[in-house]
Amino acid sequence: MKGLQDERIIAEKRRINSNAFGICFLALWGILLYRQYALRQPISEYLDIFLLTIGLSIYITVNNVSKGLYLTYRSKAIKKKVQFTGALVGSATFLLVQYFVIGYDLTSPGDVLKLVVSFMVFLLFWVGSQSLLLGISQRRADEEAGEE
């Protein structure tokens, strides 16, 4: 049939589109960082890009979780490694942003304590939210598997 495409062609087109979207998504984050730190622009000048990037992040996460695809296809060891790496990178990024944006004085015990407490709260929130998302996604994946 003339209009019928081979599944390999369709899968390859989807992979190319997915890679292009990923590159654009990373470029949006790069633009945000450049405008914030290199150009020192106020957020009002790039709020549209920020909201678009956050919206895309939420859309991707919600859809992956609701379809049962949020890390559910990986082994338990890989899931733990991804969770640990994500928590480490997320917390380190949070810590650096807090330090540079708020400008804590590391010679002041009060500022160090505030930085440590905010780091611990963020880390607990990160681990809790990741566990919640993984649990919901796993439950959805189990429901999908049970229907087949």
Side-chain angles (χ1 to χ4, degrees), residues 27-40 46 97:
L28 283 173
W29 279 111
I31 290 168
L32 287 172
L33 292 173
Y34 175 73
R35 289 178 124 188
Q36 183 175 8
Y37 294 110
L39 299 179
R40 302 237 185 254
Y46 57 88
V97 168

Side-chain angles (χ1 to χ4, degrees), residues 60-131:
I60 290 167
T61 303
V62 166
N63 278 301
N64 277 319
V65 169
S66 67
K67 303 283 187 210
L69 302 173
Y70 190 73
L71 298 177
T72 53
Y73 55 90
R74 298 187 178 177
S75 70
K76 201 170 204 168
I78 296 295
K79 284 182 198 178
K80 291 290 183 194
K81 187 185 290 188
V82 168
Q83 279 184 298
F84 177 74
T85 304
L88 184 65
V89 170
S91 297
T93 303
F94 176 79
L95 192 65
L96 288 172
V97 168
Q98 289 290 307
Y99 175 72
F100 287 112
V101 171
I102 295 177
Y104 286 106
D105 178 16
L106 294 180
T107 59
S108 166
D111 279 357
V112 171
L113 182 62
K114 287 179 191 173
L115 196 58
V116 169
V117 168
S118 63
F119 170 78
M120 295 304 294
V121 168
F122 180 85
L123 181 62
L124 289 173
F125 176 77
W126 181 280
V127 171
S129 62
Q130 286 294 306
S131 297

